[in-house]
Amino acid sequence: DARVTQTPRHKVTEMGQEVTMRCQPILGHNTVFWYRQTMMQGLELLAYFRNRAPLDDSGMPKDRFSAEMPDATLATLKIQPSEPRDSAVYFCASAPRQGEGNEQFFGPGTRLTVL
Amino acid sequence: GQQLNQSPQSMFIQEGEDVSMNCTSSSIFNTWLWYKQDPGEGPVLLIALYKAGELTSNGRLTAQFGITRKDSFLNISASIPSDVGIYFCAGPMKTSYDKVIFGPGTSLSVIP
């Protein structure tokens, strides 16, 4: 069945290292979202794309985070350099074209730990 | 800015009991969404509400869109162990229908 996939599921790294998280949205979905989930802040929207174009990245720390969609089947979220405060679960979600409700389909997440 | 509040923050109930939780905001929402997150997984949409006063069911789940458009309720009847998880309410932001804000969640534990 159609699902959003994310890799890796878990990542442990040291402060200062580069981290790249990948997401494959559901085929045919043209909107892709990146969220971060922490106990303190809950689910926060970092950035989102429509038809591979970035529409909003205001939730993302610009100095170290970057998000791209090299093609319609791949979205990436990169942190360089990583810091301990970046430890969180990062979710990717995809949605069908606008007008079909707000349903977003979430991936299983990448649990990031920065030591 | 827009913010969602959920209560209770957590619940511990016996299997078979009914559950009620709610979501409130100081702002009006035109859509209310209820998601469930199982441990170690991403949130999954349970119910979407699009009209004030609307009452919608999905199996043992029933959700209502408050008349004031500033609140919504989710009820679970005859709880079972697999109902364990975090329940989030969510709604689209005024500034962008695509962008959804999530409440802090209600954590549900079911004691067999």
Side-chain angles (χ1 to χ4, degrees), chain B residues 71-82:
Chain B
D71 58 9
S72 179
F73 304 87
L74 177 69
N75 296 317
I76 305 173
S77 62
S79 59
I80 59 177
S82 62

Side-chain angles (χ1 to χ4, degrees), chain A:
Chain A
D1 58 335
R3 296 187 188 190
V4 175
T5 58
Q6 290 186 247
T7 57
R9 290 295 310 273
H10 302 271
K11 176 73 176 179
V12 180
T13 190
E14 292 188 343
M15 181 173 64
Q17 296 297 306
E18 178 178 300
V19 174
T20 298
M21 291 169 271
R22 293 177 174 80
C23 166
Q24 182 172 2
I26 293 174
L27 190 65
H29 285 191
N30 71 340
T31 308
V32 176
F33 304 83
W34 281 106
Y35 289 88
R36 176 171 61 186
Q37 186 178 37
T38 61
M39 288 292 289
M40 294 301 294
Q41 299 297 328
L43 269 166
E44 303 173 278
L45 178 66
L46 297 176
Y48 80 103
F49 296 75
R50 171 161 296 123
N51 297 323
R52 296 176 55 200
L55 289 191
D56 191 327
D57 61 1
S58 59
M60 208 163 64
K62 302 289 192 306
D63 56 338
R64 299 182 299 107
F65 284 59
S66 62
E68 295 180 346
M69 279 201 75
D71 61 61
T73 64
L74 176 64
T76 62
L77 180 66
K78 190 175 295 186
I79 308 174
Q80 167 63 10
S82 57
E83 297 180 2
R85 60 180 167 151
D86 300 329
S87 298
V89 181
Y90 291 82
F91 288 103
C92 172
S94 71
R97 66 182 183 276
Q98 191 176 15
E100 295 187 3
N102 291 100
E103 180 167 10
Q104 297 179 18
F105 295 79
F106 282 77
T110 293
R111 182 175 293 275
L112 174 65
T113 302
V114 183
L115 303 174

